[in-house]
mmCIF file with all atom_site columns, all heavy atoms in Angstrom:
data_model
loop_
_atom_site.group_PDB
_atom_site.id
_atom_site.type_symbol
_atom_site.label_atom_id
_atom_site.label_alt_id
_atom_site.label_comp_id
_atom_site.label_asym_id
_atom_site.label_entity_id
_atom_site.label_seq_id
_atom_site.pdbx_PDB_ins_code
_atom_site.Cartn_x
_atom_site.Cartn_y
_atom_site.Cartn_z
_atom_site.occupancy
_atom_site.B_iso_or_equiv
_atom_site.pdbx_formal_charge
_atom_site.auth_seq_id
_atom_site.auth_comp_id
_atom_site.auth_asym_id
_atom_site.auth_atom_id
_atom_site.pdbx_PDB_model_num
ATOM 1   N N   . SER A 1 95  ? 14.766 1.990   -1.420  1.00 88.00 ? 95  SER A N   1
ATOM 2   C CA  . SER A 1 95  ? 15.956 1.302   -1.919  1.00 88.00 ? 95  SER A CA  1
ATOM 3   C C   . SER A 1 95  ? 16.916 2.299   -2.549  1.00 88.00 ? 95  SER A C   1
ATOM 4   O O   . SER A 1 95  ? 16.527 3.416   -2.879  1.00 88.00 ? 95  SER A O   1
ATOM 5   C CB  . SER A 1 95  ? 15.559 0.268   -3.003  1.00 88.00 ? 95  SER A CB  1
ATOM 6   O OG  . SER A 1 95  ? 15.068 -0.913  -2.369  1.00 88.00 ? 95  SER A OG  1
ATOM 7   N N   . PHE A 1 96  ? 18.189 1.835   -2.670  1.00 88.00 ? 96  PHE A N   1
ATOM 8   C CA  . PHE A 1 96  ? 19.224 2.732   -3.231  1.00 88.00 ? 96  PHE A CA  1
ATOM 9   C C   . PHE A 1 96  ? 19.976 2.036   -4.358  1.00 88.00 ? 96  PHE A C   1
ATOM 10  O O   . PHE A 1 96  ? 20.197 0.836   -4.341  1.00 88.00 ? 96  PHE A O   1
ATOM 11  C CB  . PHE A 1 96  ? 20.238 3.116   -2.143  1.00 88.00 ? 96  PHE A CB  1
ATOM 12  C CG  . PHE A 1 96  ? 19.624 3.805   -0.979  1.00 88.00 ? 96  PHE A CG  1
ATOM 13  C CD1 . PHE A 1 96  ? 19.228 3.099   0.148   1.00 88.00 ? 96  PHE A CD1 1
ATOM 14  C CD2 . PHE A 1 96  ? 19.446 5.185   -0.999  1.00 88.00 ? 96  PHE A CD2 1
ATOM 15  C CE1 . PHE A 1 96  ? 18.672 3.748   1.238   1.00 88.00 ? 96  PHE A CE1 1
ATOM 16  C CE2 . PHE A 1 96  ? 18.900 5.846   0.112   1.00 88.00 ? 96  PHE A CE2 1
ATOM 17  C CZ  . PHE A 1 96  ? 18.510 5.127   1.219   1.00 88.00 ? 96  PHE A CZ  1
ATOM 18  N N   . ILE A 1 97  ? 20.415 2.876   -5.294  1.00 88.00 ? 97  ILE A N   1
ATOM 19  C CA  . ILE A 1 97  ? 21.400 2.400   -6.291  1.00 88.00 ? 97  ILE A CA  1
ATOM 20  C C   . ILE A 1 97  ? 22.537 3.413   -6.282  1.00 88.00 ? 97  ILE A C   1
ATOM 21  O O   . ILE A 1 97  ? 22.299 4.637   -6.308  1.00 88.00 ? 97  ILE A O   1
ATOM 22  C CB  . ILE A 1 97  ? 20.772 2.317   -7.697  1.00 88.00 ? 97  ILE A CB  1
ATOM 23  C CG1 . ILE A 1 97  ? 19.684 1.262   -7.704  1.00 88.00 ? 97  ILE A CG1 1
ATOM 24  C CG2 . ILE A 1 97  ? 21.829 1.952   -8.742  1.00 88.00 ? 97  ILE A CG2 1
ATOM 25  C CD1 . ILE A 1 97  ? 18.861 1.222   -9.013  1.00 88.00 ? 97  ILE A CD1 1
ATOM 26  N N   . PHE A 1 98  ? 23.782 2.899   -6.156  1.00 86.00 ? 98  PHE A N   1
ATOM 27  C CA  . PHE A 1 98  ? 24.918 3.795   -6.007  1.00 86.00 ? 98  PHE A CA  1
ATOM 28  C C   . PHE A 1 98  ? 25.786 3.802   -7.265  1.00 86.00 ? 98  PHE A C   1
ATOM 29  O O   . PHE A 1 98  ? 25.808 2.825   -8.032  1.00 86.00 ? 98  PHE A O   1
ATOM 30  C CB  . PHE A 1 98  ? 25.801 3.362   -4.828  1.00 86.00 ? 98  PHE A CB  1
ATOM 31  C CG  . PHE A 1 98  ? 25.001 3.177   -3.572  1.00 86.00 ? 98  PHE A CG  1
ATOM 32  C CD1 . PHE A 1 98  ? 24.629 1.936   -3.122  1.00 86.00 ? 98  PHE A CD1 1
ATOM 33  C CD2 . PHE A 1 98  ? 24.673 4.294   -2.787  1.00 86.00 ? 98  PHE A CD2 1
ATOM 34  C CE1 . PHE A 1 98  ? 23.925 1.767   -1.929  1.00 86.00 ? 98  PHE A CE1 1
ATOM 35  C CE2 . PHE A 1 98  ? 23.932 4.142   -1.618  1.00 86.00 ? 98  PHE A CE2 1
ATOM 36  C CZ  . PHE A 1 98  ? 23.580 2.887   -1.184  1.00 86.00 ? 98  PHE A CZ  1
ATOM 37  N N   . GLN A 1 99  ? 26.547 4.888   -7.418  1.00 84.00 ? 99  GLN A N   1
ATOM 38  C CA  . GLN A 1 99  ? 27.455 4.990   -8.541  1.00 84.00 ? 99  GLN A CA  1
ATOM 39  C C   . GLN A 1 99  ? 28.490 3.879   -8.515  1.00 84.00 ? 99  GLN A C   1
ATOM 40  O O   . GLN A 1 99  ? 28.826 3.290   -9.533  1.00 84.00 ? 99  GLN A O   1
ATOM 41  C CB  . GLN A 1 99  ? 28.160 6.362   -8.474  1.00 84.00 ? 99  GLN A CB  1
ATOM 42  C CG  . GLN A 1 99  ? 29.145 6.607   -9.605  1.00 84.00 ? 99  GLN A CG  1
ATOM 43  C CD  . GLN A 1 99  ? 29.788 7.959   -9.528  1.00 84.00 ? 99  GLN A CD  1
ATOM 44  O OE1 . GLN A 1 99  ? 29.436 8.769   -8.701  1.00 84.00 ? 99  GLN A OE1 1
ATOM 45  N NE2 . GLN A 1 99  ? 30.715 8.229   -10.421 1.00 84.00 ? 99  GLN A NE2 1
ATOM 46  N N   . SER A 1 100 ? 28.991 3.552   -7.308  1.00 82.00 ? 100 SER A N   1
ATOM 47  C CA  . SER A 1 100 ? 30.059 2.518   -7.204  1.00 82.00 ? 100 SER A CA  1
ATOM 48  C C   . SER A 1 100 ? 29.473 1.134   -6.927  1.00 82.00 ? 100 SER A C   1
ATOM 49  O O   . SER A 1 100 ? 30.188 0.255   -6.384  1.00 82.00 ? 100 SER A O   1
ATOM 50  C CB  . SER A 1 100 ? 31.035 2.902   -6.124  1.00 82.00 ? 100 SER A CB  1
ATOM 51  O OG  . SER A 1 100 ? 31.630 4.116   -6.406  1.00 82.00 ? 100 SER A OG  1
ATOM 52  N N   . PHE A 1 101 ? 28.259 0.947   -7.223  1.00 83.00 ? 101 PHE A N   1
ATOM 53  C CA  . PHE A 1 101 ? 27.550 -0.370  -7.081  1.00 83.00 ? 101 PHE A CA  1
ATOM 54  C C   . PHE A 1 101 ? 27.414 -0.818  -5.632  1.00 83.00 ? 101 PHE A C   1
ATOM 55  O O   . PHE A 1 101 ? 26.359 -1.259  -5.204  1.00 83.00 ? 101 PHE A O   1
ATOM 56  C CB  . PHE A 1 101 ? 28.223 -1.490  -7.891  1.00 83.00 ? 101 PHE A CB  1
ATOM 57  C CG  . PHE A 1 101 ? 28.824 -1.052  -9.187  1.00 83.00 ? 101 PHE A CG  1
ATOM 58  C CD1 . PHE A 1 101 ? 30.069 -1.511  -9.593  1.00 83.00 ? 101 PHE A CD1 1
ATOM 59  C CD2 . PHE A 1 101 ? 28.155 -0.159  -10.040 1.00 83.00 ? 101 PHE A CD2 1
ATOM 60  C CE1 . PHE A 1 101 ? 30.637 -1.098  -10.788 1.00 83.00 ? 101 PHE A CE1 1
ATOM 61  C CE2 . PHE A 1 101 ? 28.711 0.258   -11.250 1.00 83.00 ? 101 PHE A CE2 1
ATOM 62  C CZ  . PHE A 1 101 ? 29.937 -0.226  -11.626 1.00 83.00 ? 101 PHE A CZ  1
ATOM 63  N N   . HIS A 1 102 ? 28.541 -0.792  -4.904  1.00 86.00 ? 102 HIS A N   1
ATOM 64  C CA  . HIS A 1 102 ? 28.587 -1.224  -3.466  1.00 86.00 ? 102 HIS A CA  1
ATOM 65  C C   . HIS A 1 102 ? 27.951 -2.609  -3.271  1.00 86.00 ? 102 HIS A C   1
ATOM 66  O O   . HIS A 1 102 ? 27.034 -2.764  -2.471  1.00 86.00 ? 102 HIS A O   1
ATOM 67  C CB  . HIS A 1 102 ? 27.886 -0.196  -2.593  1.00 86.00 ? 102 HIS A CB  1
ATOM 68  C CG  . HIS A 1 102 ? 28.668 1.097   -2.463  1.00 86.00 ? 102 HIS A CG  1
ATOM 69  N ND1 . HIS A 1 102 ? 30.011 1.129   -2.311  1.00 86.00 ? 102 HIS A ND1 1
ATOM 70  C CD2 . HIS A 1 102 ? 28.278 2.378   -2.549  1.00 86.00 ? 102 HIS A CD2 1
ATOM 71  C CE1 . HIS A 1 102 ? 30.431 2.369   -2.244  1.00 86.00 ? 102 HIS A CE1 1
ATOM 72  N NE2 . HIS A 1 102 ? 29.376 3.147   -2.414  1.00 86.00 ? 102 HIS A NE2 1
ATOM 73  N N   . LEU A 1 103 ? 28.503 -3.582  -3.962  1.00 87.00 ? 103 LEU A N   1
ATOM 74  C CA  . LEU A 1 103 ? 28.096 -4.951  -3.683  1.00 87.00 ? 103 LEU A CA  1
ATOM 75  C C   . LEU A 1 103 ? 29.091 -5.505  -2.644  1.00 87.00 ? 103 LEU A C   1
ATOM 76  O O   . LEU A 1 103 ? 30.250 -5.088  -2.606  1.00 87.00 ? 103 LEU A O   1
ATOM 77  C CB  . LEU A 1 103 ? 28.188 -5.809  -4.961  1.00 87.00 ? 103 LEU A CB  1
ATOM 78  C CG  . LEU A 1 103 ? 27.289 -5.354  -6.123  1.00 87.00 ? 103 LEU A CG  1
ATOM 79  C CD1 . LEU A 1 103 ? 27.500 -6.265  -7.352  1.00 87.00 ? 103 LEU A CD1 1
ATOM 80  C CD2 . LEU A 1 103 ? 25.813 -5.380  -5.726  1.00 87.00 ? 103 LEU A CD2 1
ATOM 81  N N   . LEU A 1 104 ? 28.626 -6.454  -1.858  1.00 83.00 ? 104 LEU A N   1
ATOM 82  C CA  . LEU A 1 104 ? 29.561 -7.047  -0.911  1.00 83.00 ? 104 LEU A CA  1
ATOM 83  C C   . LEU A 1 104 ? 30.407 -8.085  -1.619  1.00 83.00 ? 104 LEU A C   1
ATOM 84  O O   . LEU A 1 104 ? 29.860 -9.043  -2.196  1.00 83.00 ? 104 LEU A O   1
ATOM 85  C CB  . LEU A 1 104 ? 28.791 -7.694  0.276   1.00 83.00 ? 104 LEU A CB  1
ATOM 86  C CG  . LEU A 1 104 ? 28.105 -6.663  1.206   1.00 83.00 ? 104 LEU A CG  1
ATOM 87  C CD1 . LEU A 1 104 ? 27.370 -7.342  2.312   1.00 83.00 ? 104 LEU A CD1 1
ATOM 88  C CD2 . LEU A 1 104 ? 29.157 -5.707  1.784   1.00 83.00 ? 104 LEU A CD2 1
ATOM 89  N N   . PRO A 1 105 ? 31.716 -7.909  -1.575  1.00 81.00 ? 105 PRO A N   1
ATOM 90  C CA  . PRO A 1 105 ? 32.593 -8.750  -2.419  1.00 81.00 ? 105 PRO A CA  1
ATOM 91  C C   . PRO A 1 105 ? 32.581 -10.255 -2.070  1.00 81.00 ? 105 PRO A C   1
ATOM 92  O O   . PRO A 1 105 ? 32.851 -11.096 -2.923  1.00 81.00 ? 105 PRO A O   1
ATOM 93  C CB  . PRO A 1 105 ? 33.973 -8.154  -2.181  1.00 81.00 ? 105 PRO A CB  1
ATOM 94  C CG  . PRO A 1 105 ? 33.878 -7.408  -0.903  1.00 81.00 ? 105 PRO A CG  1
ATOM 95  C CD  . PRO A 1 105 ? 32.468 -6.952  -0.783  1.00 81.00 ? 105 PRO A CD  1
ATOM 96  N N   . GLU A 1 106 ? 32.303 -10.561 -0.801  1.00 77.00 ? 106 GLU A N   1
ATOM 97  C CA  . GLU A 1 106 ? 32.364 -12.003 -0.432  1.00 77.00 ? 106 GLU A CA  1
ATOM 98  C C   . GLU A 1 106 ? 31.042 -12.717 -0.718  1.00 77.00 ? 106 GLU A C   1
ATOM 99  O O   . GLU A 1 106 ? 30.938 -13.916 -0.497  1.00 77.00 ? 106 GLU A O   1
ATOM 100 C CB  . GLU A 1 106 ? 32.742 -12.142 1.012   1.00 77.00 ? 106 GLU A CB  1
ATOM 101 C CG  . GLU A 1 106 ? 31.682 -11.838 2.040   1.00 77.00 ? 106 GLU A CG  1
ATOM 102 C CD  . GLU A 1 106 ? 31.577 -10.349 2.378   1.00 77.00 ? 106 GLU A CD  1
ATOM 103 O OE1 . GLU A 1 106 ? 32.182 -9.536  1.649   1.00 77.00 ? 106 GLU A OE1 1
ATOM 104 O OE2 . GLU A 1 106 ? 30.869 -10.009 3.340   1.00 77.00 ? 106 GLU A OE2 1
ATOM 105 N N   . LEU A 1 107 ? 30.045 -11.983 -1.205  1.00 82.00 ? 107 LEU A N   1
ATOM 106 C CA  . LEU A 1 107 ? 28.750 -12.602 -1.529  1.00 82.00 ? 107 LEU A CA  1
ATOM 107 C C   . LEU A 1 107 ? 28.557 -12.772 -3.023  1.00 82.00 ? 107 LEU A C   1
ATOM 108 O O   . LEU A 1 107 ? 28.994 -11.930 -3.805  1.00 82.00 ? 107 LEU A O   1
ATOM 109 C CB  . LEU A 1 107 ? 27.610 -11.730 -0.950  1.00 82.00 ? 107 LEU A CB  1
ATOM 110 C CG  . LEU A 1 107 ? 27.603 -11.472 0.544   1.00 82.00 ? 107 LEU A CG  1
ATOM 111 C CD1 . LEU A 1 107 ? 26.322 -10.747 0.910   1.00 82.00 ? 107 LEU A CD1 1
ATOM 112 C CD2 . LEU A 1 107 ? 27.694 -12.746 1.338   1.00 82.00 ? 107 LEU A CD2 1
ATOM 113 N N   . SER A 1 108 ? 27.905 -13.863 -3.394  1.00 88.00 ? 108 SER A N   1
ATOM 114 C CA  . SER A 1 108 ? 27.594 -14.084 -4.821  1.00 88.00 ? 108 SER A CA  1
ATOM 115 C C   . SER A 1 108 ? 26.467 -13.091 -5.236  1.00 88.00 ? 108 SER A C   1
ATOM 116 O O   . SER A 1 108 ? 25.877 -12.439 -4.357  1.00 88.00 ? 108 SER A O   1
ATOM 117 C CB  . SER A 1 108 ? 27.111 -15.514 -5.006  1.00 88.00 ? 108 SER A CB  1
ATOM 118 O OG  . SER A 1 108 ? 25.911 -15.718 -4.316  1.00 88.00 ? 108 SER A OG  1
ATOM 119 N N   . SER A 1 109 ? 26.214 -13.086 -6.535  1.00 92.00 ? 109 SER A N   1
ATOM 120 C CA  . SER A 1 109 ? 25.136 -12.182 -7.018  1.00 92.00 ? 109 SER A CA  1
ATOM 121 C C   . SER A 1 109 ? 23.832 -12.500 -6.275  1.00 92.00 ? 109 SER A C   1
ATOM 122 O O   . SER A 1 109 ? 23.132 -11.593 -5.812  1.00 92.00 ? 109 SER A O   1
ATOM 123 C CB  . SER A 1 109 ? 24.880 -12.412 -8.501  1.00 92.00 ? 109 SER A CB  1
ATOM 124 O OG  . SER A 1 109 ? 26.100 -12.280 -9.175  1.00 92.00 ? 109 SER A OG  1
ATOM 125 N N   . LEU A 1 110 ? 23.534 -13.814 -6.187  1.00 92.00 ? 110 LEU A N   1
ATOM 126 C CA  . LEU A 1 110 ? 22.291 -14.230 -5.524  1.00 92.00 ? 110 LEU A CA  1
ATOM 127 C C   . LEU A 1 110 ? 22.250 -13.735 -4.090  1.00 92.00 ? 110 LEU A C   1
ATOM 128 O O   . LEU A 1 110 ? 21.243 -13.197 -3.620  1.00 92.00 ? 110 LEU A O   1
ATOM 129 C CB  . LEU A 1 110 ? 22.188 -15.769 -5.566  1.00 92.00 ? 110 LEU A CB  1
ATOM 130 C CG  . LEU A 1 110 ? 21.023 -16.400 -4.873  1.00 92.00 ? 110 LEU A CG  1
ATOM 131 C CD1 . LEU A 1 110 ? 19.684 -15.974 -5.554  1.00 92.00 ? 110 LEU A CD1 1
ATOM 132 C CD2 . LEU A 1 110 ? 21.105 -17.913 -4.892  1.00 92.00 ? 110 LEU A CD2 1
ATOM 133 N N   . ASP A 1 111 ? 23.377 -13.967 -3.341  1.00 88.00 ? 111 ASP A N   1
ATOM 134 C CA  . ASP A 1 111 ? 23.398 -13.565 -1.935  1.00 88.00 ? 111 ASP A CA  1
ATOM 135 C C   . ASP A 1 111 ? 23.303 -12.063 -1.794  1.00 88.00 ? 111 ASP A C   1
ATOM 136 O O   . ASP A 1 111 ? 22.708 -11.561 -0.819  1.00 88.00 ? 111 ASP A O   1
ATOM 137 C CB  . ASP A 1 111 ? 24.679 -14.112 -1.289  1.00 88.00 ? 111 ASP A CB  1
ATOM 138 C CG  . ASP A 1 111 ? 24.651 -15.607 -1.114  1.00 88.00 ? 111 ASP A CG  1
ATOM 139 O OD1 . ASP A 1 111 ? 23.530 -16.152 -1.081  1.00 88.00 ? 111 ASP A OD1 1
ATOM 140 O OD2 . ASP A 1 111 ? 25.704 -16.242 -1.058  1.00 88.00 ? 111 ASP A OD2 1
ATOM 141 N N   . ASN A 1 112 ? 23.956 -11.317 -2.680  1.00 89.00 ? 112 ASN A N   1
ATOM 142 C CA  . ASN A 1 112 ? 23.882 -9.873  -2.601  1.00 89.00 ? 112 ASN A CA  1
ATOM 143 C C   . ASN A 1 112 ? 22.397 -9.410  -2.760  1.00 89.00 ? 112 ASN A C   1
ATOM 144 O O   . ASN A 1 112 ? 21.939 -8.511  -2.062  1.00 89.00 ? 112 ASN A O   1
ATOM 145 C CB  . ASN A 1 112 ? 24.719 -9.219  -3.690  1.00 89.00 ? 112 ASN A CB  1
ATOM 146 C CG  . ASN A 1 112 ? 26.061 -8.769  -3.145  1.00 89.00 ? 112 ASN A CG  1
ATOM 147 O OD1 . ASN A 1 112 ? 26.158 -7.905  -2.275  1.00 89.00 ? 112 ASN A OD1 1
ATOM 148 N ND2 . ASN A 1 112 ? 27.136 -9.379  -3.644  1.00 89.00 ? 112 ASN A ND2 1
ATOM 149 N N   . VAL A 1 113 ? 21.686 -10.042 -3.704  1.00 91.00 ? 113 VAL A N   1
ATOM 150 C CA  . VAL A 1 113 ? 20.343 -9.621  -3.991  1.00 91.00 ? 113 VAL A CA  1
ATOM 151 C C   . VAL A 1 113 ? 19.394 -10.013 -2.837  1.00 91.00 ? 113 VAL A C   1
ATOM 152 O O   . VAL A 1 113 ? 18.484 -9.286  -2.465  1.00 91.00 ? 113 VAL A O   1
ATOM 153 C CB  . VAL A 1 113 ? 19.832 -10.198 -5.325  1.00 91.00 ? 113 VAL A CB  1
ATOM 154 C CG1 . VAL A 1 113 ? 18.370 -9.839  -5.584  1.00 91.00 ? 113 VAL A CG1 1
ATOM 155 C CG2 . VAL A 1 113 ? 20.692 -9.677  -6.492  1.00 91.00 ? 113 VAL A CG2 1
#
Side-chain angles (χ1 to χ4, degrees):
Chain A
S95 280
F96 300 93
I97 296 172
F98 307 101
Q99 180 178 355
S100 300
F101 325 136
H102 291 316
L103 300 178
L104 290 178
E106 76 276 11
L107 301 187
S108 64
S109 307
L110 176 65
D111 289 334
N112 262 297
V113 176

